Amino acid sequence: MGDNSSSPNPPRWRKVAYGGMQPGFEDNHTDESFLEQMVMNASVVKRDILKVMQDSVSISQYLCIVALVVLVWAYTLRSSLDENSLLLLDVSLLGTGFLILVLTEGMLSLNLLFHYILNISFFITGLYVLAPIYQTLTRSISSDSIWALTISLLVLHLFLHDYSGSTIKAPGALQNPTLTSCISLNASVVASVFIASRLPSRLHVFAIMLFSLLVFLFAPLVTYCVKKYSFRLHLLFSVALMIVTLAFVHMLHQLLFVLFLGLLVFVNVVCPYWLIRIQEYKFEINGPWDEAKLCFDITD
């Protein structure tokens, strides 16, 4: 009598994410179809060098703004700018900033504008009251140490600054400033206090502190609103700001002019070129082994 019984079929491997180990297969077993869904460089963005250079203008723009603040500090410490000139500069900056906000922000209502004016009034009053404290805050510290700390804080400020957004929440914005942006702002405020503490009079301290805080607080908001309103206007404003900054730096020192011009060329030309070149060496692999990604915003 022949043996009609057939041997049982070997178990087939199944692609499942649960159930434990499958009999006859290792825990890390994969079949021939494992690499069929492999995708290479699926999310690599092809960048255009002109677009990258245009985006880098925002960085150069803010570098010029900080450089102008340092120039005003230097001229004030050299007694080239008196209190009246600084106060006139403060009023001009404040009026120009509000005018730009009104022209570029269609949703800026009168209530919101009044809210801004009220907050700035409280801010200016508190700053004037605290000016004598700022004036004597670092009297026992040498000027070399003050300049070293100030430069370190400005470098930290530039490193952590949010170049794509605003230091304070813009009108109509859905997101608040990031933590690193707040740390960057605090570093600039402390640097301003250090510089103000080397000035001779209370009015000098008040004027330079008001100037510094107006720039560090509201300049990113104004430039953000201009960029959102018109990118072409943003580029024209940035180029004009670079020319003005280079002119003032050249008046102060020729070596600083060469260094600052080299920094702007490095940021606007060399860095975009490097970014485009290293994109050629980017190699990204995606496949069924990747973790699942949410396709919706969990905050909704």
Side-chain angles (χ1 to χ4, degrees):
M1 183 176 177
D3 188 8
N4 295 329
S5 63
S6 59
S7 60
N9 294 326
R12 296 186 58 186
W13 179 79
R14 295 176 301 148
K15 184 181 177 181
V16 293
Y18 53 89
M21 292 182 59
Q22 302 180 38
F25 298 97
E26 298 292 335
D27 185 46
N28 60 348
H29 175 80
T30 57
D31 63 354
E32 298 80 6
S33 65
F34 180 70
L35 296 179
E36 291 179 356
Q37 301 180 17
M38 184 179 70
V39 180
M40 293 183 294
N41 296 336
S43 60
V44 175
V45 180
K46 298 296 182 180
R47 302 182 185 273
D48 179 62
I49 187 168
L50 182 60
K51 180 65 168 59
V52 177
M53 291 176 66
Q54 290 177 348
D55 292 338
S56 65
V57 168
S58 298
I59 302 177
S60 299
Q61 180 193 75
Y62 196 72
L63 287 175
C64 291
I65 291 174
V66 175
L68 288 176
V69 172
V70 175
L71 286 174
V72 172
W73 288 351
Y75 283 120
T76 303
L77 291 173
R78 293 167 57 179
S79 300
S80 300
L81 285 174
D82 57 4
E83 303 95 321
N84 296 329
S85 300
L86 285 173
L87 290 175
L88 181 60
L89 180 61
D90 295 340
V91 173
S92 302
L93 288 176
L94 189 59
T96 304
F98 270 117
L99 181 61
I100 294 176
L101 286 179
V102 171
L103 294 177
T104 57
E105 287 294 322
M107 63 179 64
L108 191 63
S109 62
L110 291 177
N111 291 332
L112 185 58
L113 188 60
F114 177 75
H115 177 71
Y116 279 161
I117 295 175
L118 187 62
N119 287 341
I120 289 177
S121 301
F122 289 139
F123 169 75
I124 293 176
T125 303
L127 193 62
Y128 184 78
V129 171
L130 294 174
I133 300 177
Y134 296 147
Q135 184 182 1
T136 60
L137 191 63
T138 61
R139 182 171 294 175
S140 60
I141 304 177
S142 65
S143 297
D144 293 339
S145 301
I146 291 297
W147 274 110
L149 288 172
T150 302
I151 293 173
S152 301
L153 288 171
L154 286 180
V155 171
L156 178 65
H157 169 70
L158 291 172
F159 183 75
L160 298 178
H161 181 71
D162 183 9
Y163 294 94
S164 62
S166 173
T167 307
I168 59 179
K169 189 175 181 180
L174 299 177
Q175 295 182 348
N176 292 317
T178 61
L179 176 61
T180 55
S181 179
C182 295
I183 297 175
S184 171
L185 177 60
N186 290 332
S188 65
V189 171
V190 176
S192 303
V193 172
F194 284 158
I195 293 297
S197 64
R198 317 309 291 180
L199 296 176
S201 67
R202 171 180 180 175
L203 192 58
H204 245 125
V205 173
F206 168 73
I208 199 67
M209 281 296 300
L210 181 59
F211 166 78
S212 301
L213 295 184
L214 282 177
V215 173
F216 288 127
L217 277 172
F218 294 106
L221 174 63
V222 172
T223 55
Y224 172 78
C225 292
V226 170
K227 183 178 180 180
K228 189 172 64 172
Y229 178 76
S230 172
F231 189 76
R232 180 175 297 180
L233 183 61
H234 162 72
L235 293 179
L236 292 176
F237 173 72
S238 301
V239 172
L241 186 64
M242 292 179 198
I243 294 174
V244 171
T245 306
L246 287 172
F248 278 108
V249 173
H250 185 269
M251 292 170 55
L252 182 66
H253 202 285
Q254 292 185 357
L255 178 59
L256 293 178
F257 169 79
V258 174
L259 293 176
F260 192 71
L261 178 62
L263 178 62
L264 294 181
V265 172
F266 178 77
V267 171
N268 287 291
V269 179
V270 178
C271 289
Y273 175 74
W274 276 354
L275 181 62
I276 296 298
R277 287 300 304 269
I278 63 177
Q279 288 291 311
E280 302 175 2
Y281 304 99
K282 188 169 184 177
F283 187 70
E284 187 178 87
I285 299 177
N286 299 98
W289 53 84
D290 292 334
E291 296 180 358
K293 297 181 181 179
L294 297 176
C295 59
F296 58 88
D297 190 356
I298 60 176
T299 61
D300 292 342

